[in-house]
Amino acid sequence: MSNGLDFGDRTDFDNADRGFVSALTPGVVTASDGRVVWDADSWSFLAADCPDTVNPSLWRQSRLCARQGLYEVAEGIYQVRGLDISNMTIIEGDTGVIVIDPLLSVETAAAAFGLYRAQRGDRPVTAVIYSHSHADHFGGVAGVTDGNVPILAPVGFMEHAVAENVYAGTAMTRRAGFMYGVTLPTGPAGQVGFGLGLASSTGTVSLFPATVHITRTGQEETIDGVRMVFQLTPGTEAPAEMNFLFPDRRALCMAENATHNMHNVLTLRGALVRDARIWSRYLTEAITMFDGRADVLFASHHWPTWGHDNMMRFLSEQRDLYAYLHDQTLRLANQGHTGSEIAEMIQLPPALGAAWHARGYYGSVSHNVKAIYQRYLGWFDGNPASLWQHPPVETAKRYVDCFGGVEAILTKASDYLAAGDPRFAAQLLQHAVFADPRHGDAKELLAQVYERLAYASENGVWRNFYLTGAQELRYGPTITPVDLGAGMAAVLSVEQIFDTLAIRVDAPKAWHDTIVIDWTFTDLGESYRTTLRNGVLLQQQNVPAGQPDLSLFLTKRDLLGVLAGHGLGGIAYDGEIDALRRLLGHLDAPDPSFAIVTP
Ligand SMILES: [Zn+2]
């Protein structure tokens, strides 16, 4: 392997194995109905040498991620790794344990905690810490506690935990299906992991609200005799995130701000773009704040780093990485280059390029550079030719016309492929498929091109996008069997529930209708007025003057029931109940299996 990568360096493997206590055997976690939600044993194929269907660097990373079980990180600090996409960390206190980041699913969290207890006894959970607002760091919480303990989280946690997946939830979920390869078979020609971990569990997502908010850097808390010092890092890897030190244990938790891969400035499932500048700035602050105060650094993905110099080098290089991407992207943007150009121009300095923890298994130089360009300058590259392009199908028809038919495009694409340019072959074939989605040869050739791109890709997410694309070209779109918003409905605020309704209004159907409804939530003591007009559903808290068409007196649970189609049973009202039926009749349903690789 080129790129200056040292495959003989065993440090990561030593660290991933260090402190091993016991594994889950068999490595299978099931739901109460018997459905398998995690199968660590399905990754045993990674024990073999790298096949020619996987990039060797990605294969190496997946082998590291495939280690599973309970590990001792330091005295009284344990991690369960490899039983979900993320790590559960357990800090032993005076009377029980503090659980950091209880995985994504209730089932995997319960299994992970059971593995710990089997070795260390039935210690009670005395507190939970959510390091940040992503579901793989809180979704399993009901698997370790009933919620009647302090739950610590960075300020803004609840809003962001819920909000990120709500408004564009269906689109994100569909794209996440591609990103995580959830419909791909696990194996050398399929899903092999995506750098941050091997896969996401598919169990039950839960969420107990945070009760202790960390609101400032330097804040200290002591729970169960365990002292903690927090560093808030909003706007880094997540909008609400924090690092924290256990000063008496000399251990530092870096949440997901410094892990063993280049992370995403913009996750390819879609999200608000992150801020690489702030990210690097907070890593500098962490270095300053925690230098000399810890002997081990761990995070909520991957394996720990032991020893002062190793930790400082790791943090410094991670910091340099995000700063470099940010600054060099803007340097080149200010010289007139666009995102897609800069993505090809940027080269990492040799020391970062050769650092295993900076490799682009999850994020990539290519898509992170485009994300930074997007953050500052947006989708438009400034060239008027890009301003008003035809959408994909109309563009495709015109390309086919220019080439003289789909067959001619296929011939050209095969030539480019043979000449070692699968990227352009894919661009050409995309036009053929979008112009004629029933053309089997075009779809099959594009599927083969995607496979070739996948097998060469060091980035696990890119691999999954290509392979899922190939699969759907052959077999059609599938429904992603993972719902990013699952379990979230009950914790939505009324404002967010009305927002989600507004997003579903089929405006052209509704724009001649005007409907005013007052909603009094008897459980919350809150009242809202919604007004449908001009195809928009407006909301305001505290009902203004003026007569509504309908007044409803209900609980938030009733509202969720109505929206789930459970009817109006028991809901008190005053006025024209037909107004509610009309409003519901104007709502559209999102499409969980919309086509991506075909029109
Ligand atoms: Zn995570």
Side-chain angles (χ1 to χ4, degrees):
M1 191 67 189
S2 55
N3 303 332
L5 293 177
D6 181 4
F7 279 83
D9 178 358
R10 303 294 296 173
T11 307
D12 286 330
F13 289 89
D14 293 343
N15 286 342
D17 287 336
R18 180 168 165 173
F20 174 76
V21 178
S22 64
L24 186 74
T25 43
V28 179
V29 180
T30 52
S32 52
D33 61 1
R35 192 172 53 88
V36 173
V37 301
W38 184 260
D39 183 359
D41 299 340
S42 68
W43 303 96
S44 55
F45 68 90
L46 289 164
D49 288 341
C50 181
D52 57 12
T53 51
V54 184
N55 179 292
S57 174
L58 177 61
W59 187 257
R60 174 189 178 279
Q61 178 80 353
S62 291
R63 293 183 73 157
L64 286 161
C65 292
R67 285 152 161 74
Q68 64 100 339
L70 177 70
Y71 295 82
E72 184 181 32
V73 175
E75 193 182 337
I77 300 180
Y78 290 81
Q79 282 193 315
V80 179
R81 301 198 289 266
L83 290 190
D84 206 321
I85 180 179
S86 43
N87 299 338
M88 176 189 291
T89 305
I90 297 154
I91 314 287
E92 296 181 346
D94 288 343
T95 62
V97 297
I98 299 170
V99 175
I100 304 169
D101 288 358
L103 307 182
L104 172 60
S105 297
V106 171
E107 295 85 352
T108 52
F113 197 51
L115 187 65
Y116 165 79
R117 279 183 159 172
Q119 296 292 330
R120 301 291 299 167
D122 281 344
R123 296 165 191 244
V125 173
T126 51
V128 172
I129 303 177
Y130 302 144
S131 70
H132 64 289
S133 53
H134 292 151
D136 55 321
H137 303 270
F138 63 78
V141 66
V144 299
T145 172
D146 57 9
N148 289 316
V149 295
I151 298 181
L152 288 69
V155 63
F157 171 87
M158 284 304 287
E159 295 96 285
H160 292 297
V162 176
E164 186 170 81
N165 298 330
V166 173
Y167 301 139
T170 303
M172 277 187 193
T173 299
R174 176 76 176 114
R175 293 163 56 126
F178 273 65
M179 175 170 176
Y180 298 115
V182 293
T183 60
L184 295 175
T186 298
Q191 221 280 85
V192 299
F194 43 81
L196 192 66
L198 292 179
S200 296
S201 64
T202 54
T204 312
V205 175
S206 62
L207 174 58
F208 295 136
T211 56
V212 180
H213 294 281
I214 306 305
T215 57
R216 61 181 176 84
T217 289
Q219 185 171 337
E220 289 202 24
E221 299 288 337
T222 301
I223 293 184
D224 198 14
V226 179
R227 200 156 63 93
M228 298 168 269
V229 182
F230 294 90
Q231 180 203 9
L232 275 185
T233 65
T236 50
E237 187 266 339
E241 187 150 358
M242 58 186 186
N243 305 323
F244 38 102
L245 177 77
F246 298 91
D248 305 323
R249 310 295 180 88
R250 295 189 58 80
L252 173 62
C253 176
M254 287 303 294
E256 201 165 326
N257 284 317
T259 53
H260 286 272
N261 53 203
M262 180 193 301
H263 214 293
N264 281 305
V265 176
L266 179 59
T267 175
L268 294 181
R269 70 174 153 80
L272 296 181
V273 64
R274 297 165 188 162
D275 187 343
R277 186 183 70 90
I278 287 291
W279 197 331
S280 71
R281 204 60 58 87
Y282 279 122
L283 287 173
T284 295
E285 186 181 66
I287 291 165
T288 308
M289 193 171 161
F290 300 125
D291 187 10
R293 301 176 72 186
D295 301 321
V296 62
L297 174 164
F298 62 89
S300 290
H301 293 271
H302 303 133
W303 48 95
T305 301
W306 284 269
H308 172 269
D309 293 354
N310 297 331
M311 288 162 44
M312 287 299 135
R313 186 174 67 238
F314 171 68
L315 286 178
S316 302
E317 287 175 349
Q318 283 277 304
R319 182 268 317 275
D320 296 350
L321 177 65
Y322 299 112
Y324 188 95
L325 291 174
H326 176 272
D327 296 350
Q328 293 307 302
T329 297
L330 291 179
R331 176 178 72 88
L332 293 167
N334 284 330
Q335 290 178 358
H337 303 288
T338 63
S340 60
E341 291 167 342
I342 301 166
E344 304 292 321
M345 295 168 75
I346 282 202
Q347 272 191 307
L348 292 180
L352 293 184
W356 286 112
H357 65 83
R359 300 300 297 178
Y361 303 117
Y362 193 49
S364 72
V365 170
S366 175
H367 72 258
N368 280 343
V369 162
K370 290 173 185 171
I372 293 162
Y373 188 93
Q374 171 187 319
R375 181 175 180 93
Y376 285 91
L377 294 160
W379 64 269
F380 179 43
D381 61 9
N383 186 334
S386 311
L387 191 54
W388 196 34
Q389 291 178 344
H390 287 289
V393 169
E394 294 306 315
T395 298
K397 288 178 182 166
R398 286 160 176 79
Y399 270 94
V400 168
D401 179 49
C402 294
F403 274 78
V406 167
E407 302 301 332
I409 287 195
L410 264 57
T411 303
K412 276 290 182 191
S414 299
D415 292 346
Y416 278 97
L417 188 60
D421 190 354
R423 292 171 64 179
F424 190 63
Q427 281 181 269
L428 283 180
L429 290 165
Q430 143 83 3
H431 292 316
V433 169
F434 269 57
D436 187 357
R438 282 165 305 179
H439 198 293
D441 289 348
K443 287 196 288 190
E444 176 54 31
L445 187 54
L446 182 52
Q448 290 173 19
V449 172
Y450 282 162
E451 282 173 340
R452 181 158 155 185
L453 287 162
Y455 296 158
S457 176
E458 185 182 25
N459 186 288
V461 170
W462 287 31
R463 174 184 173 93
N464 286 341
F465 265 94
Y466 285 132
L467 289 180
T468 306
Q471 179 174 273
E472 296 205 355
L473 281 167
R474 288 177 177 135
Y475 307 112
T478 52
I479 293 181
T480 301
V482 169
D483 184 355
L484 293 175
M488 296 291 172
V491 291
L492 294 180
S493 67
V494 171
E495 181 184 5
Q496 288 171 325
I497 295 172
F498 286 138
D499 276 341
T500 63
L501 286 189
I503 291 164
R504 289 176 53 195
V505 170
D506 185 348
K509 252 169 70 183
W511 65 38
H512 294 300
D513 207 353
T514 300
I515 304 171
V516 180
I517 300 179
D518 289 348
W519 313 70
T520 300
F521 291 92
T522 52
D523 53 334
L524 305 173
E526 295 173 7
S527 61
Y528 291 80
R529 169 165 292 180
T530 60
T531 305
L532 179 74
R533 42 171 279 149
N534 285 326
V536 288
L537 182 69
L538 306 161
Q539 58 166 305
Q540 61 189 121
Q541 199 174 352
N542 301 325
V543 171
Q547 189 63 27
D549 300 307
L550 171 65
S551 296
L552 290 161
F553 305 88
L554 71 178
T555 63
K556 194 173 92 174
R557 195 189 176 90
D558 291 333
L559 172 61
L560 292 170
V562 170
L563 299 178
H566 298 158
L568 298 171
I571 297 176
Y573 66 91
D574 185 17
E576 186 48 65
I577 193 66
D578 187 55
L580 179 58
R581 294 205 182 88
R582 267 181 19 240
L583 174 61
L584 296 176
H586 290 314
L587 301 183
D588 218 351
D591 178 358
S593 60
F594 57 78
I596 292 178
V597 293
T598 52

